[in-house]
Amino acid sequence: MLRFIIRRIIMLIPVLFGLTVMMFIIARLLPGDPVALAAGPNATHEEIAALAAEFGMDQPMIVQYWTYASGLLQGDFGVSIFTRRPVLTDILTYLPATLELVFAAMALSIALGIPLGLMTAVYRNRWPDYLARVLALASISMPRFFLGLLLQLCFAMWLMTFPLGGRFPIIYEYPPFVTGFLTLDALIAGDLESFWLACRHLALPAIAMSLSPLATIMRMMRASTIEVLQHDYVTTARAVGLSQRRIVFKYVAKNAVSATLTVIGLYFGWLLGGTVLVETVFDWPGLGLYATQAIVAQDFMPVIGVALVIGLLFVLSNLVIDVLYGVINPKVRYA
Amino acid sequence: MSNPLLKIRNLHLSMHSFDGKAHVLNGINLEVKRNEIWGLVGETGCGKSLTGLSVSGLVSSPPAEYHGGEILFDGEDLLGCHEQRLLALRGNKIGMIFQDPTTNLNPVFTIGTQLVDVALAAGASDPQVLGLTVGASGRARRRAARALAGDMLDKVGIPNARARLDDYPHQFSGGMRQRVLIAMALIGRPDLLIADEPTTALDVSVQAQILDLLRQMVDEFRMGVILITHNLGVVAQTCSHVAVMYAGNVVESGPVRRVLEQPAHPYTRALMRAIPTRDVKRGALFGLAGSVPNLLSPPTGCRFAPRCALASPACHSALPADREVAPDHKVACVHVSAMKETSYA
């Protein structure tokens, strides 16, 4: 198991290398002159040249890449040409917000999607099944940002039960930084009021993000449960006197969940890279918002940095899923 | 004479399918007492397994529809039973084992987990199974269930049983898995065991071991057994009684020696003749002309009549009633007396 994990981590290296090269090239193929943009509309040619020289942008691309890559190996993600802040510092500031949102959305969709999938399979072609399937189709079809707007309209404007946006009220003090997850930090500090505030801010964007993975997980779970229910061991379990509840939620669920795991892993990465719209709608200070601003300003270093981090997290999440396969299915473990 | 453990009387079952309604069980009669091992034989699709599953209440309806007859278990009609009652009977009173040991154990749980759950379920209906009083704590029940699981594995002949509780099914051979399944079926001390082709998927030497084990368990637990099989050899070797089924009917039933030595139904005779012996020349096997009737539109009267050499107009008009040709030896054929004269060759 350990060797498997180590091997997978070693395989990360070429993936990340390829990612940096690709991002580096694409960033420089884009039209426009980022240095001129950063120098401002009134900058002279000399000032622009000086800025380019300062950031090494006047060097050949190969040299630029070499400088960047060697810095990367030392944990240096470069400096934003626009804000002159180190990219790594920025990413570490924004990443926890995005991770918190993605984790909350995934937790929600797993916690609801798996039992719903089991239930719809058991009640196959009866009304609970039809109802859940129609709702699932609707929530897959609905764009996330639009759903976000609807939620805002309904719960923030009309009912006024949830805040419109942001991560935490400006007038309150943030709980002391431990994990960067406001909800966790508040709990660690023992500050229940902050925890409650953070949860309420988290609720609407997390729901908006969770619906399509929830629907997909539910449908995957339904399909694999239907397949598992036809296995001989289910009949045997009934024949030896196990109750329907125990059979479905223990024996069938564990067998059916492995196909769903794949989807969960993919969705996790997909949500990480796709938070932009939801973060924009809810004014959520996360990586997506940060990356959009950098892209608009043609500020390359943050863009490459964000892509790297998301790529890394994506590969890691799939590694976790692969390890979980082994945990769930003992045959995979020994193979 | 003790009361029968299981009495199936005139059981009718239809299956709804895309093509229509198939009348699959056409008035099954069967009586099983304790310590009797009944062999249920017949060709594929004749309703053997459905009969077994019906006793356990495991035939889902729809598509199945019972329209007539009753299944009396210890005097209690199972067909009218609520699911909750059936749940209490399964495992505790009626155990089942199936054909393919490789697919009947859940691959992602240790056999210990699976056995313990079955023991706990059985203990919930009948605390005596675990040897505990009613108010025992959850932890005590778990411990007792695990001990019982180990004992049962030991009893069915798994070496080093207690250590193997933590192994997964794929770490056992086919024969060993069938032993595990037998342990699972017997852990709740059922009175009736339904074994649906338990040896078909095993090779011959393992088959003999499993049959031995079954016989031994019957002696120990004083169960009644229904052994569903294709194999008349298995019946001769293991069973005390046999019921021969054809297209949804029990055509002949009785003590195994009597039926196999003096079969009185033309179908049973044909089956016996189809078994190759040493004297049969290569390529000269006896078969039975024709094939099983389509149950969507079964023949009226005796369902075997279209393939029967003795068939007469009477055979086609009405289903022949059971006739007792010897004590407990019943045959559903109008030509019984004629068959008697032509002794079995």
Side-chain angles (χ1 to χ4, degrees), chain B residues 42-83:
Chain B
E43 49 201 292
T44 306
C46 72
K48 309 184 295 286
S49 292
L50 266 179
T51 308
L53 287 169
S54 293
V55 175
S56 284
L58 288 176
V59 183
S60 52
S61 59
E65 182 196 341
Y66 291 98
H67 46 92
E70 51 187 6
I71 302 174
L72 297 171
F73 179 79
D74 254 348
E76 182 179 2
D77 186 10
L78 297 183
L79 286 183
C81 251
H82 201 263
E83 177 63 25

Side-chain angles (χ1 to χ4, degrees), chain B residues 7-240:
Chain B
K7 187 167 186 174
I8 303 177
R9 208 156 57 193
N10 197 26
L11 183 67
H12 286 266
L13 170 71
S14 288
M15 279 288 184
H16 292 272
S17 74
F18 288 120
D19 303 322
K21 196 166 130 182
H23 195 168
V24 185
L25 297 185
N26 184 27
I28 300 284
N29 291 301
L30 194 66
E31 270 188 39
V32 181
K33 300 191 181 74
R34 276 181 187 277
N35 287 331
E36 286 181 350
I37 306 182
W38 273 82
L40 207 53
V41 292
E43 49 201 292
T44 306
C46 72
K48 309 184 295 286
S49 292
L50 266 179
T51 308
L53 287 169
S54 293
V55 175
S56 284
L58 288 176
V59 183
S60 52
S61 59
E65 182 196 341
Y66 291 98
H67 46 92
E70 51 187 6
I71 302 174
L72 297 171
F73 179 79
D74 254 348
E76 182 179 2
D77 186 10
L78 297 183
L79 286 183
C81 251
H82 201 263
E83 177 63 25
Q84 210 57 39
R85 175 71 187 138
L86 285 174
L87 196 60
L89 287 176
R90 280 183 217 133
N92 286 70
K93 299 285 178 192
I94 303 170
M96 261 192 111
I97 50 182
F98 294 94
Q99 177 173 355
D100 190 350
T102 55
T103 59
N104 278 298
L105 283 165
N106 197 317
V108 301
F109 289 93
T110 62
I111 59 156
T113 308
Q114 302 186 47
L115 285 170
V116 165
D117 269 344
V118 176
L120 285 174
S125 312
D126 177 9
Q128 282 189 341
V129 170
L130 297 177
L132 295 170
T133 49
V134 179
S137 71
R139 178 184 283 189
R141 280 206 308 254
R142 292 215 136 260
R143 204 169 327 120
R146 195 173 158 88
L148 179 60
D151 289 346
M152 280 311 296
L153 271 196
D154 195 41
K155 200 166 270 178
V156 296
I158 301 235
N160 199 9
R162 268 155 210 88
R164 300 221 64 185
L165 281 176
D166 295 319
D167 283 345
Y168 285 91
H170 69 270
Q171 291 165 289
F172 290 81
S173 69
M176 284 297 164
R177 278 185 240 187
Q178 193 60 288
R179 287 175 192 263
V180 173
L181 282 161
I182 292 175
M184 197 180 278
L186 298 185
I187 208 163
R189 304 287 164 116
D191 299 316
L192 177 70
L193 179 70
I194 298 161
D196 192 348
E197 305 200 33
T199 58
T200 309
L202 303 172
D203 62 57
V204 185
S205 56
V206 180
Q207 186 173 325
Q209 292 169 14
I210 294 292
L211 291 174
D212 271 347
L213 174 67
L214 268 183
R215 261 200 311 257
Q216 202 180 311
M217 293 292 124
V218 171
D219 288 344
E220 186 169 340
F221 292 111
R222 293 193 60 247
M223 295 180 290
V225 178
I226 297 178
L227 180 71
I228 297 168
T229 177
H230 287 294
N231 191 332
L232 283 172
V234 167
V235 171
Q237 203 178 70
T238 316
C239 299
S240 60

Side-chain angles (χ1 to χ4, degrees), chain A residues 19 22 39 41 48 56 83 99 115 131 148-149 162 196 232 265 268 288-289:
Chain A
L19 200 60
M22 225 165 67
I48 293 175
T83 61
L99 278 183
L131 183 71
L149 290 172
F162 287 99
W196 180 234
D232 287 344
F268 184 79
L289 219 50

